[in-house]
Amino acid sequence: MDLVNWVLLSIASIVLIATNIHVSQKAPEPYMDEIFHVPQTQAYCFGRLDVWDPKITTFPGFHMLAAIWGKMLHCFGSFAREIIRSPASRVCAPNDLRLMNAFLAIANILLGSNLHHGIHANSGHPLSRTNSMLTGLTLAAIPLHFFFSTLLYTDVSSLTFVLACHLNVISGHTYLGVLSGTMAVMIRQTNAVWICFVLFNSMLRFLRVDTGSEANAQRPPIPMHIAIVIRKSFRLRWGLLKNFWAISLVPVGFASFVIWNGGIVVGDKQAHKPVIHMAQLGYFFLFLLGCLFPALVSPRHLDRTRAKIMQNPLLSLFLLVSMLGVLLGGVFVHPYLIADNRHYTFYIWRRFLSKDWLRISLAPISWFGACLAGQQLLATHSTTWLIGFMACVGATIIPAGLLEFRYFLVPVSLVLLHVRPRTNGELIASMTLSMCVNVATLYLYLEKPFFWPDGSTARFMW
């Protein structure tokens, strides 16, 4: 890593750690989901492995990881306090546990940067290490990622191990990929789908059938390309088995658990029943546009997307009608969405998305976001790859009844990493816009609390 990248990483690390500490000083009490995560982690810290809160719906991987972090930090802190003769602090205090996510966010910068370089290094696109570092920094600045790097939530660590699995597998470190993939599922069950994506992506790379439009101007029709993939898979079946049998055990093992458990949720199954919530696709593309607007929307990208739409008018019309259909008829209103006025989604739904006419008016924007992202992904990947990616997006968000932007973090991050490398200016503009949003949301969270009728303090958050 050269000096420029070290400086960029150092500045980002200082910002992430300082922001985390500031949030813990201004709002030290566990909040929202932390009231479940903190006590569960502290139970593990003190060796009470038989304790489990039934309201927690994930495997205990996150809490075990946080407990290990808390114990390590306490040991290091005890050594430092002995030197400066400072009073002792308690093990696994909430502010210590929260600090884990700041360091994992820094890890995500490095993972995102290295993964971006690994994906595009041999693609023929102009690429520098600084560009990959700026891509990692843009990922870290995504509002959901930055905000939850200050709290003890699962989102940052979930992304960390998905990226680690992806990077290890494409780098040939299969067993590290299996380890990180298993940990990703232990933190959040839906990550099993993203491990399937990692497997699918790596198999296409192994078969050398994942070329985008810029590498192959004569793209074969979709059925023909799928037939090519199947034929090459059969011919190279022993090579596929040798290289990918280990990582395939992660989704296979999880599927076995789902069959045994009768669903993916542990704990409070009643509140997290899978549904068919097609409108999530429309919300996802709106969120994608909002998060990566300068990186996705520029004159050169708009011109290319407009040209592709004009080349395929029937397909474009079909996608537009489909987007209208999912946003109008595919809506599911979860009781939590309309009951909790601490989340931005409560106000977004009540004031905007609950109105049919407004969802209809947003459909063309969501459709254009899908076209923009799709066209730019197809510049570096095959149509088969894009179909597989969108299948994974749908599998993770459509069964979720609750409109929760946190569910979109992994696919948005993967879009950023897999599209054709952005210019440095586009990345800096996207990062700047995200940081403006982050400053605003943290200001509201810390400086504009309100009080519920029972006297408890409430804060606005994602």
Side-chain angles (χ1 to χ4, degrees):
M1 189 184 297
D2 60 25
L3 180 61
V4 172
N5 289 346
W6 271 115
V7 170
L8 291 173
L9 180 63
S10 299
I11 293 171
S13 300
I14 292 169
V15 170
L16 285 163
I17 293 171
T19 304
N20 184 289
I21 293 172
H22 179 66
V23 169
S24 288
Q25 289 174 342
K26 293 281 290 186
E29 295 301 318
Y31 187 67
M32 289 291 287
D33 288 8
E34 286 187 319
I35 65 174
F36 307 111
H37 294 316
V38 170
Q40 184 61 54
T41 301
Q42 289 174 336
Y44 286 163
C45 273
F46 294 108
R48 300 200 301 272
L49 301 181
D50 59 325
V51 173
W52 183 252
D53 188 335
K55 287 293 183 182
I56 295 174
T57 59
T58 60
F59 294 140
F62 174 71
H63 308 95
M64 291 181 174
L65 181 70
I68 294 169
W69 164 269
K71 296 283 277 188
M72 290 174 56
L73 196 64
H74 181 74
C75 291
F76 175 78
S78 298
F79 176 73
R81 281 188 291 271
E82 185 69 26
I83 295 174
I84 63 175
R85 300 189 182 281
S86 174
S89 66
R90 60 196 178 101
V91 182
C92 291
N95 58 322
D96 289 345
L97 297 176
R98 286 174 171 177
L99 194 59
M100 177 185 73
N101 274 342
F103 281 86
L104 288 176
I106 296 168
N108 286 345
I109 297 174
L110 291 169
L111 288 167
S113 172
N114 288 323
L115 181 55
H116 180 261
H117 200 270
I119 291 168
H120 300 288
N122 299 316
S123 63
H125 302 131
L127 185 65
S128 67
R129 280 291 182 180
T130 300
N131 183 268
S132 291
M133 176 58 70
L134 287 172
T135 302
L137 292 170
T138 303
L139 185 154
I142 291 173
L144 272 294
H145 182 272
F146 191 91
F147 184 89
F148 287 107
S149 72
T150 66
L151 300 174
L152 191 67
Y153 270 61
T154 61
D155 305 274
V156 175
S157 59
S158 169
L159 180 62
T160 299
F161 286 98
V162 171
L163 295 181
C165 179
H166 198 353
L167 177 61
N168 281 313
V169 173
I170 70 167
S171 301
H173 305 305
T174 305
Y175 296 112
L176 286 175
V178 172
L179 183 63
S180 49
T182 301
M183 193 63 193
V185 176
M186 289 295 291
I187 290 172
R188 181 174 289 173
Q189 292 95 308
T190 52
N191 284 339
V193 176
W194 294 116
I195 306 308
C196 288
F197 164 76
V198 168
L199 176 62
F200 175 70
N201 172 83
S202 300
M203 289 173 66
L204 291 182
R205 286 169 65 96
F206 177 82
L207 296 172
R208 300 184 184 277
V209 291
D210 185 27
T211 53
S213 59
E214 294 179 354
N216 182 11
Q218 300 299 318
R219 188 191 300 276
I222 295 174
M224 184 181 296
H225 190 263
I226 293 175
I228 292 170
V229 172
I230 294 173
R231 190 164 57 247
K232 290 194 75 172
S233 298
F234 182 76
R235 191 167 73 245
L236 300 174
R237 58 191 180 279
W238 298 117
L240 289 172
L241 185 63
K242 177 183 176 182
N243 284 276
F244 302 112
W245 70 269
I247 189 65
S248 67
L249 293 178
V250 178
V252 168
F254 179 72
S256 302
F257 165 79
V258 171
I259 294 171
W260 173 80
N261 187 55
I264 70 168
V265 175
V266 296
D268 191 5
K269 295 182 181 180
Q270 200 62 28
H272 294 84
K273 289 182 177 179
V275 298
I276 299 176
H277 191 182
M278 296 299 297
Q280 293 275 37
L281 289 173
Y283 305 149
F284 167 73
F285 286 113
L286 290 171
F287 182 79
L288 177 67
L289 266 183
C291 280
L292 304 177
F293 186 82
L296 289 178
V297 183
S298 68
R300 67 188 180 111
H301 298 138
L302 289 173
D303 290 343
R304 289 174 181 173
T305 303
R306 189 162 45 242
K308 288 293 183 181
I309 291 172
M310 297 304 294
Q311 288 175 13
N312 301 280
L314 291 179
L315 176 61
S316 300
L317 180 61
F318 171 76
L319 293 175
L320 177 58
V321 172
S322 299
M323 193 63 72
L324 284 165
V326 300
L327 283 175
L328 188 59
V331 173
F332 182 88
V333 185
H334 197 285
Y336 287 1
L337 178 63
I338 56 178
D340 195 338
N341 65 347
R342 295 170 292 183
H343 288 287
Y344 295 134
T345 48
F346 171 88
Y347 302 96
I348 292 171
W349 173 258
R350 190 176 69 173
R351 297 181 182 179
F352 302 105
L353 296 179
S354 62
K355 299 173 175 60
D356 289 348
W357 67 268
L358 194 49
R359 290 201 309 279
I360 291 172
S361 65
L362 288 173
I365 301 174
S366 183
W367 164 78
F368 194 67
C371 292
L372 269 171
Q375 187 273 326
Q376 292 174 55
L377 286 168
L378 286 174
T380 52
H381 293 288
S382 65
T383 309
T384 304
W385 183 97
L386 182 60
I387 292 171
F389 176 73
M390 284 309 304
C392 291
V393 173
T396 54
I397 66 176
I398 290 174
L402 182 63
L403 171 57
E404 178 67 88
F405 293 145
R406 294 188 296 133
Y407 301 158
F408 303 157
L409 178 59
V410 171
V412 166
S413 301
L414 290 174
V415 169
L416 174 63
L417 296 173
H418 278 273
V419 293
R420 186 175 186 267
R422 312 290 88 181
T423 66
N424 290 352
E426 290 167 350
L427 293 169
I428 292 170
S430 186
M431 201 187 322
T432 302
L433 179 61
S434 291
M435 289 308 296
C436 290
V437 174
N438 292 331
V439 169
T441 52
L442 284 171
Y443 173 78
L444 287 174
Y445 179 77
L446 296 174
E447 303 298 337
K448 297 295 180 180
F450 59 100
F451 300 95
W452 276 5
D454 63 1
S456 60
T457 301
R459 297 179 185 275
F460 296 109
M461 68 185 302
W462 288 107

